[in-house]
Amino acid sequence: MSFNQEVTEHPDILNLFRLASRKYGDGRSVSKMAQDMGLQNERSLNNKLNPNSDHAHLSLYDACNILQLSQDATPLRSMAYLIDYMVMPLPNCRASAQDVLSHFIDVFGACGDVGEAIKNATHDDSELGENLSRRERKEIIAHLDELIEAAVCLRQSVSE
């Protein structure tokens, strides 16, 4: 199946590309986006983003341009979700003489933080006892995000 067929079979994703293109520039039209993509006019881009258009389709190149120019990962996240994947930003990994060891220690430190947050949140004396409060969920998710970032940095330092 081609990219065009896949996107047109999921018009909600095509709509996400349309919304991302409107966030670029002045936020009211796609004319600046179309101009920066090298298209003749705003109508060309609008046609590519219209699931009912028979003569203009969004190409993979156009989709990548929209993602890059808008810096909106929402369409990409939705596409990844279709195949049970997720998209997340790359962390800013620090460089040091002992990258692998340093990042390995960061992963275990972050693991400890996650475990401690979960232990505290599910303790009888916590806000809701064994149930998690909104604040506790946010705190655990923040620690999980730190753990994921540390693991990604470790992976990058091992693969270099």
Side-chain angles (χ1 to χ4, degrees):
M1 182 176 292
S2 73
F3 179 76
N4 289 342
Q5 290 171 321
E6 186 70 26
V7 171
T8 56
E9 289 180 9
H10 299 283
D12 51 324
I13 293 176
L14 193 59
N15 187 48
L16 293 174
F17 277 103
R18 186 180 305 110
L19 293 172
S21 68
R22 290 196 172 112
K23 291 178 185 176
Y24 185 71
D26 62 7
R28 290 184 296 272
S29 70
V30 295
S31 58
K32 175 95 171 105
M33 171 82 66
Q35 178 184 1
D36 289 351
M37 288 176 65
L39 299 173
Q40 291 178 344
N41 53 44
E42 178 180 348
R43 189 174 59 187
S44 298
L45 183 55
N46 279 328
N47 286 338
K48 289 178 182 232
L49 295 171
N50 180 356
N52 300 318
S53 176
D54 292 330
H55 60 281
H57 297 283
L58 188 68
S59 69
L60 182 57
Y61 180 78
D62 293 330
C64 290
N65 273 336
I66 292 171
L67 292 172
Q68 185 176 22
L69 290 171
S70 70
Q71 291 295 298
D72 183 352
T74 307
L76 183 61
R77 284 189 185 108
S78 295
M79 289 168 48
Y81 182 78
L82 288 173
I83 57 172
D84 298 327
Y85 276 76
M86 64 182 272
V87 174
M88 61 181 280
L90 288 174
N92 185 10
C93 302
R94 68 179 189 284
S96 69
Q98 296 179 339
D99 282 339
V100 175
L101 180 58
S102 174
H103 293 305
F104 181 73
I105 292 168
D106 290 345
V107 169
F108 278 93
C111 263
D113 293 343
V114 170
E116 186 70 23
I118 291 172
K119 182 180 111 186
N120 292 339
T122 57
H123 192 269
D124 291 341
D125 297 335
S126 70
E127 289 180 38
L128 299 177
E130 290 183 12
N131 297 320
L132 299 178
S133 71
R134 178 175 282 145
R135 185 192 62 75
E136 291 168 330
R137 287 178 193 279
K138 285 177 75 172
E139 180 183 344
I140 291 168
I141 289 171
H143 286 300
L144 285 169
D145 287 344
E146 292 170 8
L147 173 59
I148 291 167
E149 286 184 14
V152 169
C153 289
L154 174 60
R155 186 181 192 286
Q156 286 178 348
S157 66
V158 169
S159 65
E160 290 178 349

